[in-house]
Coordinates of all heavy atoms in Angstrom, one line a residue:
M9 N 10.7 3.6 49.1 CA 10.9 2.2 48.7 C 11.0 2.1 47.2 O 10.2 2.6 46.5 CB 9.7 1.4 49.2 CG 9.9 0.0 49.2 SD 8.5 -0.8 50.0 CE 9.3 -2.2 50.6
K10 N 12.1 1.5 46.7 CA 12.3 1.4 45.3 C 11.5 0.2 44.7 O 11.5 -0.9 45.2 CB 13.8 1.2 45.0 CG 14.2 1.2 43.6 CD 15.7 1.0 43.4 CE 16.0 1.0 41.9 NZ 17.4 0.8 41.7
N11 N 10.9 0.5 43.5 CA 10.2 -0.5 42.8 C 11.1 -1.3 41.9 O 11.7 -0.7 41.0 CB 9.1 0.2 42.0 CG 8.2 -0.9 41.2 OD1 8.6 -2.0 41.1 ND2 7.1 -0.4 40.7
N12 N 11.3 -2.6 42.1 CA 12.2 -3.4 41.3 C 11.8 -3.5 39.9 O 12.6 -3.8 39.0 CB 12.4 -4.8 41.9 CG 13.3 -4.7 43.2 OD1 14.1 -3.8 43.3 ND2 13.1 -5.7 44.0
R13 N 10.6 -3.3 39.6 CA 10.1 -3.4 38.2 C 10.6 -2.2 37.3 O 10.7 -2.4 36.1 CB 8.6 -3.3 38.2 CG 7.9 -4.6 38.7 CD 6.5 -4.5 38.6 NE 5.8 -5.1 39.7 CZ 4.7 -5.8 39.6 NH1 4.1 -5.8 38.5 NH2 4.2 -6.4 40.6
T14 N 11.1 -1.1 37.9 CA 11.6 0.0 37.1 C 13.1 -0.2 36.9 O 13.6 0.5 36.1 CB 11.4 1.3 37.8 OG1 12.0 1.3 39.1 CG2 9.9 1.6 38.0
T15 N 13.7 -1.2 37.5 CA 15.1 -1.5 37.2 C 15.2 -2.1 35.9 O 14.4 -2.9 35.5 CB 15.7 -2.4 38.3 OG1 15.5 -1.8 39.6 CG2 17.2 -2.6 38.1
N16 N 16.2 -1.7 35.1 CA 16.4 -2.2 33.8 C 16.6 -3.7 33.8 O 17.5 -4.2 34.5 CB 17.7 -1.5 33.2 CG 17.9 -1.9 31.7 OD1 17.5 -3.0 31.3 ND2 18.6 -1.1 31.0
S17 N 15.7 -4.5 33.2 CA 15.8 -5.9 33.2 C 17.1 -6.4 32.6 O 17.6 -7.5 32.9 CB 14.5 -6.5 32.6 OG 14.5 -6.2 31.2
F18 N 17.6 -5.7 31.5 CA 18.8 -6.1 30.9 C 19.9 -6.1 31.9 O 20.7 -7.0 32.0 CB 19.1 -5.2 29.7 CG 20.3 -5.6 28.9 CD1 20.3 -6.7 28.1 CD2 21.5 -4.9 29.0 CE1 21.4 -7.1 27.3 CE2 22.6 -5.3 28.3 CZ 22.5 -6.3 27.5
E19 N 20.0 -5.0 32.7 CA 21.1 -4.9 33.7 C 21.0 -6.0 34.7 O 22.0 -6.6 35.1 CB 20.9 -3.5 34.4 CG 22.0 -3.3 35.4 CD 21.9 -1.9 36.0 OE1 21.8 -0.9 35.2 OE2 21.9 -1.8 37.2
R20 N 19.8 -6.4 35.1 CA 19.6 -7.4 36.1 C 20.1 -8.8 35.6 O 20.6 -9.6 36.3 CB 18.1 -7.6 36.5 CG 17.7 -6.5 37.5 CD 16.4 -6.9 38.1 NE 15.4 -7.4 37.2 CZ 14.3 -6.8 36.8 NH1 14.1 -5.5 37.1 NH2 13.5 -7.4 36.0
K21 N 19.9 -9.0 34.3 CA 20.2 -10.3 33.7 C 21.7 -10.5 33.4 O 22.2 -11.5 33.6 CB 19.4 -10.5 32.4 CG 17.9 -10.7 32.6 CD 17.2 -10.9 31.3 CE 15.7 -11.0 31.5 NZ 15.0 -11.1 30.2
V22 N 22.3 -9.4 32.9 CA 23.7 -9.6 32.5 C 24.7 -8.8 33.3 O 25.9 -8.8 33.1 CB 23.9 -9.3 31.0 CG1 23.1 -10.2 30.2 CG2 23.5 -7.9 30.7
G23 N 24.3 -8.0 34.2 CA 25.2 -7.1 35.0 C 25.5 -5.9 34.2 O 25.0 -5.6 33.1
K24 N 26.3 -5.0 34.8 CA 26.7 -3.8 34.1 C 27.6 -4.0 33.0 O 28.5 -4.8 33.1 CB 27.3 -2.8 35.2 CG 26.2 -2.4 36.2 CD 26.8 -1.3 37.1 CE 25.7 -1.0 38.1 NZ 25.1 0.3 38.0
M25 N 27.4 -3.2 32.0 CA 28.4 -3.3 30.8 C 28.4 -1.9 30.2 O 27.5 -1.1 30.3 CB 27.9 -4.4 29.8 CG 26.6 -4.1 29.1 SD 26.3 -5.3 27.7 CE 26.7 -6.8 28.4
T26 N 29.4 -1.7 29.4 CA 29.6 -0.4 28.7 C 28.8 -0.5 27.4 O 28.4 -1.6 26.9 CB 31.0 -0.1 28.4 OG1 31.5 -1.1 27.4 CG2 31.9 -0.1 29.6
L27 N 28.6 0.6 26.7 CA 28.0 0.7 25.4 C 28.8 -0.1 24.4 O 28.2 -0.8 23.6 CB 27.9 2.2 25.0 CG 27.1 2.4 23.7 CD1 25.6 1.9 23.8 CD2 27.1 3.9 23.4
E28 N 30.1 0.0 24.5 CA 31.0 -0.8 23.6 C 30.8 -2.3 23.8 O 30.7 -3.1 22.9 CB 32.4 -0.4 23.8 CG 33.3 -1.1 22.8 CD 34.8 -0.7 23.0 OE1 35.2 -0.2 24.0 OE2 35.5 -1.0 22.0
D29 N 30.7 -2.7 25.1 CA 30.4 -4.1 25.4 C 29.1 -4.6 24.7 O 29.0 -5.7 24.2 CB 30.4 -4.4 26.9 CG 31.7 -4.2 27.6 OD1 32.7 -4.3 26.9 OD2 31.7 -3.8 28.8
Y30 N 28.1 -3.8 24.9 CA 26.8 -4.1 24.3 C 26.9 -4.2 22.8 O 26.5 -5.2 22.2 CB 25.8 -3.0 24.6 CG 24.4 -3.3 24.1 CD1 23.5 -4.1 24.7 CD2 24.0 -2.7 22.8 CE1 22.3 -4.4 24.2 CE2 22.8 -3.0 22.3 CZ 21.9 -3.8 23.0 OH 20.7 -4.1 22.4
Y31 N 27.6 -3.3 22.1 CA 27.7 -3.3 20.7 C 28.5 -4.5 20.3 O 28.1 -5.2 19.3 CB 28.5 -2.0 20.2 CG 28.8 -2.0 18.8 CD1 27.9 -1.6 17.8 CD2 30.1 -2.4 18.3 CE1 28.2 -1.6 16.5 CE2 30.4 -2.4 17.0 CZ 29.4 -2.0 16.1 OH 29.7 -2.0 14.7
N32 N 29.6 -4.8 20.9 CA 30.4 -6.0 20.6 C 29.7 -7.3 20.8 O 30.0 -8.3 20.2 CB 31.7 -6.0 21.4 CG 32.7 -4.9 20.9 OD1 32.6 -4.5 19.8 ND2 33.5 -4.4 21.8
G33 N 28.7 -7.3 21.7 CA 27.9 -8.5 21.9 C 26.8 -8.7 20.9 O 26.2 -9.8 21.0
L34 N 26.5 -7.8 20.1 CA 25.4 -8.0 19.1 C 25.8 -9.0 18.0 O 27.0 -9.0 17.7 CB 25.1 -6.6 18.4 CG 24.5 -5.6 19.3 CD1 24.4 -4.2 18.6 CD2 23.1 -6.0 19.8
P35 N 24.9 -9.8 17.5 CA 25.2 -10.7 16.5 C 25.6 -10.0 15.2 O 25.2 -8.9 14.9 CB 24.0 -11.5 16.3 CG 22.9 -10.7 16.8 CD 23.5 -9.8 17.9
E36 N 26.5 -10.7 14.4 CA 26.8 -10.2 13.1 C 25.6 -10.2 12.2 O 24.8 -11.1 12.2 CB 27.9 -11.0 12.5 CG 29.3 -11.0 13.2 CD 29.9 -9.6 13.1 OE1 29.8 -8.9 12.1 OE2 30.5 -9.2 14.1
A37 N 25.5 -9.1 11.5 CA 24.3 -9.0 10.5 C 24.6 -9.9 9.3 O 25.8 -10.1 8.9 CB 24.1 -7.5 10.1
N38 N 23.6 -10.4 8.7 CA 23.7 -11.2 7.5 C 22.7 -10.7 6.5 O 21.5 -10.8 6.7 CB 23.4 -12.6 7.8 CG 23.7 -13.5 6.7 OD1 24.1 -13.1 5.6 ND2 23.4 -14.8 6.8
Y39 N 23.2 -10.1 5.4 CA 22.4 -9.5 4.4 C 22.8 -10.2 3.1 O 23.6 -9.7 2.3 CB 22.5 -8.0 4.3 CG 22.2 -7.3 5.5 CD1 23.2 -6.9 6.4 CD2 20.9 -7.1 5.9 CE1 22.9 -6.3 7.6 CE2 20.6 -6.4 7.1 CZ 21.6 -6.0 7.9 OH 21.3 -5.4 9.1
P40 N 22.3 -11.4 2.8 CA 22.8 -12.2 1.6 C 22.7 -11.4 0.3 O 23.5 -11.5 -0.6 CB 21.9 -13.4 1.6 CG 21.0 -13.4 2.8 CD 21.3 -12.1 3.5
K41 N 21.6 -10.7 0.1 CA 21.4 -10.0 -1.2 C 22.5 -8.9 -1.3 O 23.1 -8.7 -2.4 CB 20.0 -9.4 -1.4 CG 19.0 -10.5 -1.6 CD 17.6 -10.0 -1.8 CE 16.6 -11.1 -2.0 NZ 15.2 -10.6 -2.2
T42 N 22.7 -8.1 -0.3 CA 23.7 -7.0 -0.3 C 25.1 -7.6 -0.5 O 25.9 -7.1 -1.2 CB 23.6 -6.2 1.0 OG1 22.3 -5.7 1.1 CG2 24.6 -5.1 1.0
E43 N 25.3 -8.7 0.2 CA 26.6 -9.4 0.1 C 26.9 -9.9 -1.3 O 28.0 -9.8 -1.9 CB 26.7 -10.5 1.1 CG 26.8 -10.0 2.5 CD 26.7 -11.1 3.6 OE1 26.7 -12.3 3.2 OE2 26.7 -10.8 4.8
F44 N 25.8 -10.4 -2.0 CA 25.9 -10.9 -3.4 C 26.2 -9.7 -4.3 O 27.1 -9.8 -5.1 CB 24.6 -11.5 -3.8 CG 24.5 -12.0 -5.2 CD1 25.5 -12.8 -5.7 CD2 23.5 -11.5 -6.0 CE1 25.4 -13.2 -7.1 CE2 23.5 -11.8 -7.4 CZ 24.4 -12.7 -7.9
V45 N 25.5 -8.6 -4.2 CA 25.8 -7.4 -5.0 C 27.2 -6.9 -4.7 O 28.0 -6.6 -5.7 CB 24.8 -6.3 -4.7 CG1 25.2 -5.0 -5.4 CG2 23.4 -6.7 -5.2
N46 N 27.6 -6.9 -3.5 CA 29.0 -6.4 -3.2 C 30.1 -7.3 -3.8 O 31.1 -6.9 -4.2 CB 29.2 -6.3 -1.7 CG 28.4 -5.1 -1.1 OD1 28.0 -4.2 -1.8 ND2 28.1 -5.2 0.2
Q47 N 29.7 -8.6 -3.8 CA 30.7 -9.6 -4.4 C 30.8 -9.3 -5.9 O 31.9 -9.3 -6.4 CB 30.2 -11.0 -4.2 CG 31.1 -12.1 -4.6 CD 30.6 -13.5 -4.2 OE1 29.4 -13.7 -4.0 NE2 31.5 -14.4 -4.3
I48 N 29.7 -9.0 -6.6 CA 29.8 -8.7 -8.0 C 30.6 -7.4 -8.2 O 31.4 -7.4 -9.1 CB 28.4 -8.6 -8.6 CG1 27.7 -9.9 -8.6 CG2 28.4 -8.0 -10.0 CD1 26.2 -9.9 -9.0
V49 N 30.3 -6.4 -7.4 CA 31.0 -5.1 -7.5 C 32.5 -5.3 -7.4 O 33.3 -4.8 -8.2 CB 30.4 -4.1 -6.5 CG1 31.3 -2.9 -6.3 CG2 29.0 -3.7 -6.8
Q50 N 32.9 -6.1 -6.4 CA 34.3 -6.3 -6.1 C 35.0 -7.1 -7.2 O 36.0 -6.7 -7.7 CB 34.5 -6.9 -4.7 CG 35.9 -7.1 -4.4 CD 36.1 -7.8 -3.0 OE1 35.1 -8.4 -2.5 NE2 37.2 -7.8 -2.5
K51 N 34.4 -8.2 -7.5 CA 35.0 -9.1 -8.5 C 35.0 -8.6 -9.9 O 35.9 -8.9 -10.7 CB 34.4 -10.5 -8.4 CG 34.7 -11.2 -7.1 CD 34.4 -12.7 -7.1 CE 34.8 -13.2 -5.8 NZ 35.3 -14.6 -5.8
C52 N 34.0 -7.9 -10.3 CA 33.9 -7.4 -11.7 C 34.3 -5.9 -11.8 O 34.4 -5.4 -12.9 CB 32.4 -7.5 -12.2 SG 31.9 -9.2 -12.3
N53 N 34.6 -5.3 -10.7 CA 35.1 -3.9 -10.7 C 34.1 -3.0 -11.4 O 34.4 -2.3 -12.3 CB 36.5 -3.8 -11.3 CG 37.1 -2.4 -10.9 OD1 36.8 -1.8 -9.9 ND2 38.0 -2.0 -11.8
V54 N 32.8 -3.1 -11.0 CA 31.7 -2.3 -11.5 C 31.0 -1.6 -10.4 O 31.2 -1.9 -9.2 CB 30.7 -3.1 -12.4 CG1 31.4 -3.8 -13.6 CG2 30.1 -4.2 -11.5
S55 N 30.1 -0.7 -10.7 CA 29.3 0.0 -9.7 C 28.2 -0.9 -9.2 O 27.8 -1.9 -9.9 CB 28.7 1.3 -10.2 OG 27.7 1.0 -11.2
S56 N 27.6 -0.6 -8.1 CA 26.5 -1.3 -7.6 C 25.3 -1.1 -8.5 O 24.5 -2.1 -8.7 CB 26.1 -0.9 -6.1 OG 25.8 0.4 -6.0
A57 N 25.2 0.0 -9.1 CA 24.1 0.2 -10.1 C 24.2 -0.7 -11.3 O 23.2 -1.3 -11.7 CB 24.1 1.7 -10.6
T58 N 25.4 -0.9 -11.8 CA 25.7 -1.9 -12.8 C 25.3 -3.3 -12.4 O 24.6 -4.0 -13.1 CB 27.1 -1.8 -13.3 OG1 27.4 -0.5 -13.8 CG2 27.4 -2.8 -14.4
A59 N 25.8 -3.7 -11.2 CA 25.5 -5.0 -10.7 C 24.0 -5.2 -10.6 O 23.4 -6.3 -11.0 CB 26.1 -5.2 -9.3
H60 N 23.2 -4.2 -10.1 CA 21.8 -4.3 -10.0 C 21.1 -4.4 -11.4 O 20.2 -5.2 -11.6 CB 21.2 -3.1 -9.2 CG 21.3 -3.3 -7.7 ND1 20.5 -4.1 -7.0 CD2 22.2 -2.7 -6.9 CE1 20.8 -4.0 -5.7 NE2 21.8 -3.2 -5.6
N61 N 21.6 -3.7 -12.3 CA 21.1 -3.8 -13.7 C 21.3 -5.1 -14.3 O 20.4 -5.7 -15.0 CB 21.7 -2.7 -14.6 CG 21.2 -1.3 -14.3 OD1 20.0 -1.2 -13.8 ND2 21.9 -0.3 -14.6
W62 N 22.5 -5.7 -14.1 CA 22.7 -7.1 -14.6 C 21.8 -8.1 -13.9 O 21.2 -8.9 -14.5 CB 24.1 -7.5 -14.3 CG 25.2 -6.8 -15.0 CD1 25.0 -5.9 -16.1 CD2 26.6 -6.8 -14.8 NE1 26.2 -5.5 -16.6 CE2 27.2 -6.0 -15.8 CE3 27.4 -7.5 -13.9 CZ2 28.6 -5.8 -15.8 CZ3 28.8 -7.3 -14.0 CH2 29.4 -6.5 -14.9
I63 N 21.6 -8.0 -12.6 CA 20.8 -8.9 -11.8 C 19.4 -8.9 -12.3 O 18.7 -9.9 -12.4 CB 20.9 -8.6 -10.3 CG1 22.3 -8.9 -9.7 CG2 19.8 -9.3 -9.5 CD1 22.5 -8.4 -8.4
H64 N 18.8 -7.7 -12.5 CA 17.4 -7.5 -12.9 C 17.2 -7.6 -14.4 O 16.1 -7.3 -14.9 CB 16.9 -6.2 -12.3 CG 16.9 -6.2 -10.8 ND1 16.1 -7.1 -10.1 CD2 17.7 -5.6 -9.9 CE1 16.4 -6.9 -8.8 NE2 17.3 -6.0 -8.7
G65 N 18.3 -7.9 -15.2 CA 18.1 -8.1 -16.6 C 17.9 -6.8 -17.4 O 17.5 -6.8 -18.6
K66 N 18.2 -5.6 -16.8 CA 18.0 -4.4 -17.5 C 19.1 -4.2 -18.5 O 18.9 -3.6 -19.6 CB 18.0 -3.2 -16.5 CG 16.7 -3.2 -15.6 CD 16.7 -2.1 -14.6 CE 15.5 -2.2 -13.8 NZ 15.5 -1.2 -12.8
T67 N 20.3 -4.6 -18.2 CA 21.5 -4.6 -19.1 C 22.2 -5.9 -18.9 O 22.0 -6.7 -17.9 CB 22.4 -3.5 -18.8 OG1 22.9 -3.6 -17.5 CG2 21.8 -2.1 -19.0
K68 N 23.1 -6.2 -19.8 CA 24.0 -7.4 -19.7 C 25.4 -7.0 -19.8 O 25.7 -6.0 -20.5 CB 23.6 -8.4 -20.8 CG 22.2 -9.0 -20.6 CD 21.9 -10.0 -21.7 CE 20.5 -10.5 -21.6 NZ 20.1 -11.4 -22.7
P69 N 26.3 -7.7 -19.3 CA 27.7 -7.3 -19.4 C 28.2 -7.3 -20.9 O 27.8 -8.2 -21.6 CB 28.5 -8.3 -18.6 CG 27.5 -9.0 -17.7 CD 26.2 -8.9 -18.4
L70 N 28.9 -6.3 -21.2 CA 29.5 -6.3 -22.6 C 30.8 -7.1 -22.7 O 31.1 -7.6 -23.7 CB 29.8 -4.9 -23.0 CG 28.5 -4.0 -23.1 CD1 28.9 -2.5 -23.5 CD2 27.5 -4.5 -24.1
D71 N 31.5 -7.2 -21.5 CA 32.7 -7.9 -21.4 C 32.5 -9.4 -21.0 O 31.9 -9.6 -20.0 CB 33.6 -7.2 -20.4 CG 35.0 -7.7 -20.4 OD1 35.3 -8.9 -20.8 OD2 35.9 -6.9 -20.1
Q72 N 32.9 -10.3 -21.9 CA 32.7 -11.7 -21.6 C 33.3 -12.2 -20.3 O 32.8 -13.0 -19.6 CB 33.3 -12.5 -22.8 CG 33.0 -14.0 -22.6 CD 31.6 -14.4 -22.6 OE1 30.8 -13.8 -23.4 NE2 31.2 -15.3 -21.8
K73 N 34.4 -11.5 -19.8 CA 35.0 -11.9 -18.5 C 34.0 -11.7 -17.4 O 34.0 -12.4 -16.4 CB 36.3 -11.2 -18.3 CG 36.3 -9.8 -18.0 CD 37.6 -9.2 -17.7 CE 37.5 -7.7 -17.4 NZ 38.7 -7.1 -17.1
H74 N 33.1 -10.7 -17.5 CA 32.1 -10.4 -16.5 C 31.1 -11.5 -16.5 O 30.6 -11.9 -15.4 CB 31.5 -9.0 -16.7 CG 32.4 -7.9 -16.4 ND1 32.3 -6.7 -17.1 CD2 33.5 -7.8 -15.6 CE1 33.3 -5.9 -16.7 NE2 34.0 -6.5 -15.7
V75 N 30.7 -11.9 -17.7 CA 29.7 -13.1 -17.8 C 30.3 -14.3 -17.1 O 29.7 -15.0 -16.4 CB 29.3 -13.3 -19.2 CG1 28.4 -14.5 -19.3 CG2 28.7 -12.1 -19.8
D76 N 31.6 -14.6 -17.4 CA 32.3 -15.7 -16.9 C 32.3 -15.6 -15.3 O 32.1 -16.6 -14.6 CB 33.7 -15.8 -17.4 CG 33.8 -16.1 -18.9 OD1 32.8 -16.6 -19.5 OD2 34.9 -15.8 -19.5
M77 N 32.6 -14.4 -14.8 CA 32.7 -14.2 -13.4 C 31.3 -14.4 -12.7 O 31.2 -15.0 -11.7 CB 33.2 -12.8 -13.1 CG 33.5 -12.5 -11.6 SD 34.6 -13.7 -10.8 CE 36.1 -13.3 -11.7
L78 N 30.2 -13.9 -13.3 CA 28.9 -14.1 -12.8 C 28.5 -15.6 -12.8 O 27.9 -16.0 -11.8 CB 27.9 -13.3 -13.6 CG 28.0 -11.8 -13.5 CD1 27.1 -11.1 -14.6 CD2 27.6 -11.3 -12.1
S79 N 28.9 -16.3 -13.8 CA 28.7 -17.7 -13.8 C 29.5 -18.4 -12.7 O 28.9 -19.3 -12.0 CB 29.1 -18.3 -15.2 OG 28.9 -19.7 -15.2
E80 N 30.7 -18.0 -12.5 CA 31.5 -18.6 -11.5 C 31.0 -18.3 -10.1 O 30.9 -19.2 -9.2 CB 33.0 -18.1 -11.6 CG 33.9 -18.6 -10.6 CD 35.3 -18.0 -10.7 OE1 35.8 -17.9 -11.8 OE2 35.9 -17.8 -9.6
I81 N 30.5 -17.1 -9.9 CA 30.0 -16.7 -8.5 C 28.8 -17.4 -8.2 O 28.6 -17.9 -7.1 CB 29.7 -15.1 -8.5 CG1 31.0 -14.3 -8.6 CG2 28.9 -14.8 -7.3 CD1 30.8 -12.8 -8.8
T82 N 27.9 -17.6 -9.2 CA 26.6 -18.2 -8.9 C 26.5 -19.7 -9.2 O 25.6 -20.3 -8.6 CB 25.5 -17.5 -9.8 OG1 25.8 -17.8 -11.2 CG2 25.4 -16.0 -9.5
G83 N 27.3 -20.2 -10.0 CA 27.2 -21.6 -10.4 C 26.2 -21.8 -11.5 O 25.9 -23.0 -11.9
I84 N 25.7 -20.7 -12.0 CA 24.7 -20.8 -13.1 C 25.4 -20.8 -14.4 O 26.3 -20.0 -14.7 CB 23.7 -19.6 -13.1 CG1 23.0 -19.6 -11.8 CG2 22.7 -19.7 -14.3 CD1 22.2 -18.3 -11.5
P85 N 25.1 -21.8 -15.3 CA 25.8 -21.8 -16.6 C 25.6 -20.4 -17.4 O 24.5 -19.8 -17.2 CB 25.1 -22.9 -17.4 CG 24.5 -23.8 -16.3 CD 24.2 -22.9 -15.2
K86 N 26.6 -20.0 -18.1 CA 26.6 -18.7 -18.8 C 25.3 -18.5 -19.6 O 24.7 -17.4 -19.6 CB 27.8 -18.5 -19.6 CG 29.1 -18.4 -18.8 CD 30.3 -18.2 -19.7 CE 31.0 -19.6 -19.7 NZ 32.3 -19.5 -20.4
E87 N 24.9 -19.5 -20.3 CA 23.8 -19.4 -21.2 C 22.5 -19.3 -20.5 O 21.4 -19.0 -21.1 CB 23.8 -20.5 -22.3 CG 23.7 -21.9 -21.7 CD 25.0 -22.5 -21.2 OE1 26.1 -21.9 -21.4 OE2 25.0 -23.6 -20.6
M88 N 22.5 -19.5 -19.2 CA 21.2 -19.5 -18.5 C 21.1 -18.3 -17.5 O 20.1 -18.1 -16.8 CB 21.0 -20.8 -17.7 CG 20.9 -22.0 -18.5 SD 20.7 -23.5 -17.6 CE 19.1 -23.2 -16.8
L89 N 22.1 -17.4 -17.5 CA 22.1 -16.3 -16.6 C 20.9 -15.3 -16.8 O 20.3 -14.7 -15.9 CB 23.4 -15.5 -16.7 CG 24.6 -16.2 -16.0 CD1 25.9 -15.4 -16.4 CD2 24.4 -16.2 -14.5
W90 N 20.5 -15.1 -18.1 CA 19.4 -14.2 -18.4 C 18.3 -14.9 -19.3 O 18.5 -15.7 -20.1 CB 19.8 -13.0 -19.1 CG 20.7 -12.2 -18.2 CD1 20.3 -11.3 -17.3 CD2 22.1 -12.2 -18.2 NE1 21.5 -10.8 -16.7 CE2 22.6 -11.3 -17.2 CE3 23.1 -12.9 -18.9 CZ2 23.9 -11.1 -16.9 CZ3 24.4 -12.7 -18.6 CH2 24.8 -11.8 -17.6

């Protein structure tokens, strides 16, 4: 006699599916801090290490266009970024 408790509850709820179906059904991840760093990297054409250094105030951009871009990305006035 088969014990129904040992049957995969996920299978009972949604039916059979492939591994790809399961993967495609997962929600999209949202990592706002990573996305913010990636946005700086892409728009300013700098490394992620440089972006992190700017964010944490360890260094500041030497190129004014990078300061302008950071202000545009964040909405923070240039004089208030650091």
